[in-house]
Structure formats: C-alpha cells, structure tokens
C-alpha cells in the first residue's frame, strides 16, 4: 500500500514538473542526418527520446525472455531424453538379468548416450554381447565404456579380463591382467584373476612367483592358499623330475640338479609338509637316487612321524641296508603296534635276506590291519619259501579285499 502511494506521489510530481516546464519555451532541437534535417520543439524531442529509450529497453527484455524460453525448452528436452534413457536402461538391465541378451544389448546401448552413468550401460551391454558370442562388439563396447568415463580404465580392464576368461581366451586375458597389474600392482581382484589365469594355463613357475603377493594381500583364505602352494610346487617338482629324466636319456650320469635345486627354493613350511616331502622323495627314488631319499626320509621321520613316509622308507634301498633296518627297529620301540612300520620292517628284512624275520613282521602287521600290501608281500614270500597253498590263499584274500567281494558260500575242494 505504501509503495503504491509512493508511486502515485512520484507520478504527480513528474506531471506537475512537466506542466510547469511546458509554460516556458526552451527552444528547438535540430538533428541533421545527411540531406535530412529534423527540427522539433524541445519538449516533443524529449518525449521522442524517452519513447525511443523505452522501446529499446522493451526490445532487449523481449530478446532476453526469448533466449530464456529457448533454454527452458532445451532443458525440458534434455530432461525428457534423460528420463527415456533411464527407462531404457532399467529395461535393459532387467533383460540382462532375464537372459534376453539381444534385447538387453539393444536397450543398454541406445540409452548410453543420454544415461547418467554411461559406463554401466556399456559394461552391461558388453556382457550381453559376450553372451551372444559377438566378441568384436564386446571390444567395441568396452572401448566406448573407457571413452565415456575418465578414470574408468581399471573397471573396464577387469570386465574385459573376466569376459576373456569366461570365453576361454586365456592368452588375451593374461595380457590384459599383466597390463592392469602394472597400473595397480597390489589390486586384490587383479591378483585373484591373474592367479586363476595362470592356474588354467598351468603356468606353475609364474604362479609360484605370484604366491607371496597373494599371501601378503590376503587374496585367499589361508587353507586354500596352502592347498594352492602344494599344488604349484607338486607340479614344479614333477616338471623338474621330467627334465632330469630327459637328461638321463642322453647321459646316464646326468645330475639331478634341476630337482634338488628346486627343493631348496621351496618355502620353509613346505619342506616340513608331509605331502610335499613325499612328492620329492618319490621323484628322487624314481630317478635312481634312493640313497639320498633314504637320508631325507630318515631325518624327517626322526622328528615328524608319518605312516605314508615310513611306507616309502620300506620300499627304498639306502647305502647300508642293515643300518636302515636297525634304524626302523629303533622306531618300533616307540610304535610297537604300527601296522605300516611293521610292513616296512618286513620289506627291509627281505632286503637283508632275513626271511623268517620278514615273515614275522608281515604276519604281525596283518594281525593289526588287513592291508592289501601286507597280504601281497606275505603271499609272495610264502610262494618263494615253497608254501604255495598258503600263498594262493593269501592271494585270494587280497583279491577279495581289493575288489570288495561279499562273503558268499563256496563249494568245498
């Protein structure tokens, strides 16, 4: 209300001033434009100037409003495209979850240009293209994903490696993961994918180099990591033994250095691991170095007992078979009812040509446990001692045990 009164008062003052001013003749205004001369009363000229200024101001305001209106239309159109892109993205992701790969790829790709997160659209579309077995489209979509979002090279690279692994493109996956590891040497998921790739390629040497980093970054549970390490070094030991065999074909006196040097590379906890020791000992014995195998097993068994290793100890021939037998008999004092040790003692007795003692050990082992090996050894010994009937009986028992035959009535001889 006060504002309206002020405006009215201001208008009255202006009107009064103009009415008073018109009573006085202030002269003329002349404007010369080339050959044209415009002459008018001062007050009329002033009024014209005011009108011209007002028109200019109105024109400027109209232009500004038109520009703002165009911007509003553009913003409305842009928001409309974004809404359509969100709807198509949602439909594309639903199609992807439902396994409708062609529809998912079409929806996600068409919406990517106006989507809030084009990276997700392109990555999901690449997954759909992969399921359609269109590998060229996968590479193109991943390229677009990389270009759409700065700093997305790690996410795009990991997706690419996963798709390459799923498609059994192992060499390409390895190249991708090696590149990613150079960018981020300690990235846990990159390390895990690299582990899976080496495992499928059976590249045991490279996998052995990766193991310390896997443990340091806690990429796997400890129990799984230990099993993986056993597998890796088991295969490396086998490969080294195979290299030694090839060398022995060319030179019977070739050294076992590839195998023995690899043993020195093993982590300390694996050199105390029963299964790994057994692998190494088997390879040494198969290559003909039973003396070194006996020394290794004797040292291990004195500090860490293992039925599997004592079984192997009974199978090999050390430098001094009599001392080997005495060593095993010392162990029997602490383990008088160990069937595996008694079986090994029977075999060591045979190696020392102590037939009666060997028989006693085999029979005692069988009383404690009916094992296939003890039956076979006693059957073989009985045959060579002229007890063919007993040998056949024991052999039949062994066959029945091996094949899981049920107890059934049989005709009497």
């Amino acid at each position: 209300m006060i504002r309206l009164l002020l405006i009215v008062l201001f208008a009255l003052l202006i009107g009064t001033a103009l009415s008073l001013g018109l009573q006085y003749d202030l002269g003329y205004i002349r404007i010369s434009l080339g050959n044209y001369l415009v002459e008018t009363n001062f007050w009329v000229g002033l009024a014209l100037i005011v009108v011209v200024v007002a028109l200019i101001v109105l024109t400027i305001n109209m232009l500004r409003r038109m520009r703002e209106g165009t911007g509003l239309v553009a913003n409305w159109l842009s928001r409309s495209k974004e809404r359509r892109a969100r709807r198509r993205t949602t439909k594309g992701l639903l199609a992807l979850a439902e396994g409708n790969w062609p529809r998912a790829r079409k929806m996600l790709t068409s919406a990517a240009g106006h989507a809030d997160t084009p990276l997700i659209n392109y990555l999901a579309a690449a997954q759909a293209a992969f399921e359609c077995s269109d590998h060229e489209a996968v590479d193109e979509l991943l390229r677009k994903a990389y270009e759409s979002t700065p700093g997305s090279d790690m996410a795009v690279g990991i997706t690419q490696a996963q798709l390459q692994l799923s498609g059994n493109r192992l060499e390409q996956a390895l190249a991708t993961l090696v590149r990613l590891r150079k960018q981020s040497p300690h990235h846990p998921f990159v390390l895990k994918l690299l582990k899976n790739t080496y495992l499928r390629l059976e590249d045991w040497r490279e996998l052995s180099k990766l193991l310390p980093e896997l443990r340091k970054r806690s990429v796997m549970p400890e129990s799984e990591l230990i099993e993986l390490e056993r597998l890796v070094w088991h295969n490396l030991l086998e490969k080294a033994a195979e290299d030694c065999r090839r060398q022995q074909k060319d030179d019977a006196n070739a050294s076992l250095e590839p195998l023995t040097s690899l043993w020195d590379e093993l982590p300390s906890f694996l050199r105390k691991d029963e299964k790994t020791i057994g692998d190494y000992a088997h390879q040494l014995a198969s290559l003909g170095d039973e003396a070194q195998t006996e020394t290794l097993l004797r040292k291990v068994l004195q500090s860490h007992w293992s039925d599997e290793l004592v079984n192997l100890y009974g199978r090999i021939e050390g430098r001094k078979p009599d001392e080997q037998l005495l060593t095993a008999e010392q162990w029997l004092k602490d383990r008088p009812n160990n069937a595996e040790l008694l079986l090994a003692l029977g075999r060591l007795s045979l190696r020392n040509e102590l037939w009666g003692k060997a028989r006693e050990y085999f029979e005692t082992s069988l009383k404690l446990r009916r094992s296939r090996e003890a039956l076979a050894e006693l059957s073989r010994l009985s045959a060579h001692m002229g007890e063919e009937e007993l040998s056949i009986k024991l052999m039949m028992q062994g066959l029945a045990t091996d094949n899981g035959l049920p107890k059934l009535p049989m005709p009497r001889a």
Side-chain angles (χ1 to χ4, degrees), residues 160-303:
Q160 184 179 29
Q162 287 179 296
L163 295 178
Q164 287 168 337
L165 282 172
S166 298
N168 207 35
R169 300 163 70 190
L170 301 180
E171 297 295 340
Q172 294 93 324
L174 179 60
T176 301
L177 290 167
V178 168
R179 174 176 57 81
L180 292 176
R181 194 184 180 197
K182 288 180 180 178
Q183 296 177 14
S184 182
H186 310 306
H187 195 292
F189 195 52
V190 171
L191 292 173
K192 185 175 182 178
L193 291 176
L194 198 55
K195 178 266 295 184
N196 293 338
T197 306
Y198 284 137
L199 196 58
R200 290 174 62 178
L201 286 169
E202 297 185 356
D203 192 340
W204 309 113
R205 175 49 70 182
E206 289 300 322
L207 192 50
S208 70
K209 296 176 184 177
L210 191 65
L211 287 172
E213 190 69 16
L214 294 176
R215 170 168 274 109
K216 186 177 181 180
R217 303 298 163 187
S218 301
V219 174
M220 304 167 59
E222 185 65 20
S223 58
E224 291 182 19
L225 186 59
I226 290 173
E227 286 303 314
L228 178 62
E229 286 184 304
R230 282 183 179 144
L231 176 66
V232 169
W233 290 104
H234 168 79
N235 282 282
L236 284 173
L237 287 170
E238 280 196 342
K239 184 177 182 302
E242 189 60 35
D243 292 341
C244 291
R245 289 188 186 93
R246 281 197 294 269
Q247 292 178 12
Q248 286 180 340
K249 286 182 180 179
D250 299 329
D251 181 6
N253 297 318
S255 92
L256 304 182
E257 194 271 337
L259 182 62
T260 54
S261 62
L262 183 64
W263 174 256
D264 295 333
E265 292 182 32
L266 262 70
S268 58
F269 83 94
L270 278 179
R271 277 183 283 175
K272 300 175 184 176
D273 178 69
E274 175 183 331
K275 183 172 176 54
T276 308
I277 293 169
D279 289 341
Y280 179 60
H282 275 290
Q283 297 297 348
L284 266 183
S286 69
L287 290 167
D289 197 345
E290 294 192 14
Q292 186 174 345
T293 307
E294 188 274 330
T295 303
L296 170 68
L297 291 176
R298 177 164 29 88
K299 290 179 179 179
V300 172
L301 289 167
Q302 285 173 348
S303 58

Side-chain angles (χ1 to χ4, degrees), residues 381-395:
L381 177 59
S382 299
H384 283 82
M385 294 179 72
E387 300 176 357
E388 295 181 0
E389 185 176 345
L390 176 60
S391 175
I392 293 172
K393 181 180 178 181
L394 291 168
M395 187 181 298

Side-chain angles (χ1 to χ4, degrees), residues 354-371:
L354 301 173
W355 320 123
K357 180 179 281 192
R359 180 170 188 156
E360 290 177 9
Y361 281 134
F362 289 143
E363 289 175 347
T364 308
S365 178
L366 281 170
K367 288 177 183 178
L368 294 170
R369 189 184 67 192
R370 302 288 289 183
S371 73

Side-chain angles (χ1 to χ4, degrees), residues 309-380:
L309 295 182
V310 82
N311 182 289
L312 180 57
Y313 189 77
R315 291 171 174 271
I316 61 175
E317 181 178 2
R319 291 185 179 88
K320 297 180 179 180
D322 55 338
E323 292 185 5
Q324 188 177 352
L325 175 60
L326 289 173
T327 299
E329 287 178 333
Q330 291 295 318
W331 297 334
L332 188 63
K333 294 178 182 179
D334 297 325
R335 299 170 183 82
N337 297 318
N338 188 294
E340 206 66 58
L341 175 56
L342 288 163
L343 173 61
L345 282 166
R347 285 169 169 162
L348 293 173
S349 298
L350 288 178
R351 199 172 295 283
N352 285 277
E353 300 184 6
L354 301 173
W355 320 123
K357 180 179 281 192
R359 180 170 188 156
E360 290 177 9
Y361 281 134
F362 289 143
E363 289 175 347
T364 308
S365 178
L366 281 170
K367 288 177 183 178
L368 294 170
R369 189 184 67 192
R370 302 288 289 183
S371 73
R372 177 184 61 186
E373 289 186 68
L375 282 169
E377 289 290 8
L378 186 56
S379 174
R380 180 169 63 171

Side-chain angles (χ1 to χ4, degrees), residues 20-29 40-43 46:
L20 291 173
L22 289 172
Q23 296 177 4
Y24 301 95
D25 185 6
L26 298 178
Y28 295 91
I29 295 175
T40 181
N41 181 277
F42 173 78
W43 294 109
L46 182 62

